[in-house]
Amino acid sequence: MPPIPKKRKLKQSLKKVLSDAKAAEIKREKEKTREEIYNRTKQNVNGISKQARAKPTYTSADKILLIGEGNFSFARALSEKYLTEGSENMVATCFDSEEVVFKKYGEEVKDNVAYIESLGGKVLYGVDGTQLDKCKAIKHNLFSRIVFNFPHAGSGIKDQNRNVRANQELMTAFFASAAPRLTDGKRTRYEKHVSAKTKQEQKDNEEEDEEEEEEEEEKDTTLEQEPLGHGEIHVSMKTCKPYNLWAVRNLAKAGNLGTKTTFKFHPEDYPGYEHRRTIGFKEGVSKGGNAEILSSEPKTFVFVQKKVVEKEIGKSVQGRIDKKENAGKKNKNKNKNKRKRNEDDDLDLD
């Protein structure tokens, strides 16, 4: 075999060097990309990069109604973290009686309730979120935020289909009950000091209740009225099976509500919040540290009156139309000015 000419050897060597350099560059770029992805993921996991997501917007000015509280840790977290000017406008409720709540969740409930009430918040027991019109302390009031975190019928039904139907019935009834209690964007009344009933008042008979209602109606007329925005219903829930089978958006739609937005539920946004199941909490048996909800990718659904959604859609459509028309007018004026400049140039040439 004849020897390869030096020129060809040099050319082949140069080609190999360039090929190796290109391969090395590609490898470096891949490693750089992997490192960037890893760092972003690590930041998100460690909670370093939080600017990209929205934070809760609850304030002391909101008229807040909490449904289905368990140990009242969410209500306390709101009071501590967001209601910095006082919790007088917050009403926190639970379905169980006071005795049952303390039995289910222990001393943590007493501490949370005491803290909430010390800041002016109201705590009510035995409130059915599907029949709010039957609660005298609630039915005469409107709220800008109605919050139901991780709702569940708690019926203990093992059959998945029957369990889903039971929870769909719960949510359908809740939406029907809560929708009329939302503020409508107009000036409306809200009782700051007479909404919460004492335990003794809640035990009064029907005749006394009627008399008190008449007195309250008279008091209401003297209360300062505040302009409130359109109210929202916030429902936070797990998104894994079987919860995603509830079709909560469709249930809200059937209740004359529309979906305004959705976002991930981050327990760390509510320091001290501890999720509790409806059956109660047993140390060493039940999961703590919100482990149960974190593994299910929880999400918050924000619902508003359907007319509000339709109005916003109308605004968006009109905005696009106006933008298109303005762009057309701008182009028309631009062409007109261009023709005028050309005419002026022609005159200068003459």
Side-chain angles (χ1 to χ4, degrees):
M1 181 177 178
I4 300 174
K6 290 184 179 181
K7 189 173 182 180
R8 190 187 299 178
K9 282 185 178 181
L10 183 61
K11 190 174 181 180
Q12 288 177 348
S13 299
L14 181 59
K15 188 176 181 180
K16 188 176 184 307
V17 169
L18 292 174
S19 178
D20 292 343
K22 187 176 181 180
E25 180 66 22
I26 291 172
K27 185 178 180 181
R28 283 195 296 271
E29 286 298 323
K30 285 183 178 180
E31 290 176 351
K32 184 179 178 182
T33 302
R34 280 196 295 268
E35 185 177 357
E36 288 175 352
I37 292 173
Y38 171 77
N39 288 335
R40 284 199 299 269
T41 304
K42 185 177 179 181
Q43 286 177 345
N44 290 332
V45 169
N46 293 337
I48 298 172
S49 179
K50 294 185 179 179
Q51 294 83 0
R53 64 180 174 87
K55 293 296 184 69
T57 57
Y58 300 104
T59 70
S60 294
D62 287 317
K63 319 305 180 186
I64 302 172
L65 174 63
L66 304 181
I67 303 296
E69 285 287 286
N71 58 3
F72 290 93
S73 62
F74 183 82
R76 177 169 182 166
L78 288 188
S79 295
E80 283 186 307
K81 179 75 174 179
Y82 300 103
L83 311 185
T84 55
E85 296 180 13
S87 303
E88 291 86 356
N89 288 339
M90 182 180 74
V91 180
T93 74
C94 67
F95 179 77
D96 294 317
S97 67
E98 182 177 4
E99 181 182 357
V100 172
V101 167
F102 289 158
K103 185 177 180 180
K104 277 186 177 182
Y105 306 109
E107 290 297 321
E108 61 179 350
V109 175
K110 295 181 181 179
D111 293 339
N112 291 335
V113 168
Y115 184 88
I116 294 163
E117 292 181 334
S118 71
L119 295 180
K122 308 163 188 67
V123 174
L124 300 177
Y125 305 95
V127 176
D128 187 344
T130 68
Q131 301 184 59
L132 295 176
D133 59 331
K134 292 188 177 181
C135 180
K136 185 160 60 84
I138 293 174
K139 68 179 182 180
H140 292 302
N141 294 312
L142 300 178
F143 300 88
S144 57
R145 298 288 185 273
I146 298 179
V147 184
F148 197 172
N149 287 324
F150 303 97
H152 199 282
S155 53
I157 301 173
K158 293 185 179 180
D159 180 76
Q160 180 172 282
N161 292 335
R162 288 176 55 215
N163 189 293
V164 168
R165 283 197 295 273
N167 283 288
Q168 286 179 325
E169 290 171 2
L170 166 69
M171 297 310 298
T172 299
F174 163 68
F175 287 134
S177 178
R181 303 266 61 80
L182 292 174
T183 54
D184 59 4
K186 300 177 181 178
R187 297 182 71 85
T188 184
R189 64 182 170 79
Y190 185 87
E191 301 175 69
K192 278 192 174 183
H193 304 293
V194 298
S195 288
K197 301 302 175 186
T198 63
K199 296 169 188 176
Q200 184 61 42
E201 284 176 326
Q202 292 182 46
K203 296 177 182 178
D204 289 342
N205 59 43
E206 292 183 2
E207 291 182 0
E208 290 175 338
D209 285 346
E210 290 177 3
E211 291 177 2
E212 287 180 6
E213 285 180 17
E214 290 176 3
E215 292 176 1
E216 287 172 5
E217 289 296 336
E218 294 177 1
K219 291 180 183 178
D220 289 344
T221 60
T222 64
L223 292 173
E224 183 180 354
Q225 295 186 354
E226 303 176 23
L228 300 174
H230 292 287
E232 299 176 353
I233 295 176
H234 294 192
V235 177
S236 297
M237 56 186 294
K238 303 173 185 178
T239 58
C240 60
K241 275 190 176 184
Y243 304 94
N244 58 353
L245 300 177
W246 296 9
V248 67
R249 291 173 186 258
N250 293 336
L251 299 178
K253 188 176 181 181
N256 207 33
L257 296 167
T259 305
K260 180 180 180 180
T261 186
T262 62
F263 51 86
K264 289 183 178 180
F265 180 89
H266 296 275
E268 64 267 25
D269 287 340
Y270 310 96
Y273 169 66
E274 284 279 345
H275 172 69
R276 294 289 182 264
R277 300 180 69 184
T278 55
I279 59 175
F281 183 82
K282 290 185 179 181
E283 199 69 43
V285 179
S286 303
K287 292 181 180 180
N290 297 309
E292 188 175 325
I293 58 173
L294 284 172
S295 62
S296 63
E297 299 184 357
K299 183 182 291 186
T300 298
F301 298 82
V302 179
F303 302 107
V304 295
Q305 294 283 1
K306 191 176 291 184
K307 61 183 180 181
V308 177
V309 176
E310 292 172 350
K311 187 177 180 180
E312 290 301 315
I313 292 174
K315 283 183 180 179
S316 178
V317 171
Q318 187 60 49
R320 289 197 297 270
I321 293 173
D322 292 343
K323 186 176 180 180
K324 190 174 180 179
E325 288 179 351
N326 290 334
K329 289 178 182 178
K330 189 176 180 181
N331 289 332
K332 187 176 180 181
N333 291 333
K334 186 177 180 181
N335 292 333
K336 185 177 180 180
N337 292 333
K338 186 176 180 179
R339 284 196 302 270
K340 191 174 184 305
R341 285 196 300 271
N342 290 337
E343 290 173 0
D344 291 342
D345 291 342
D346 291 341
L347 290 174
D348 290 341
L349 289 172
D350 292 340

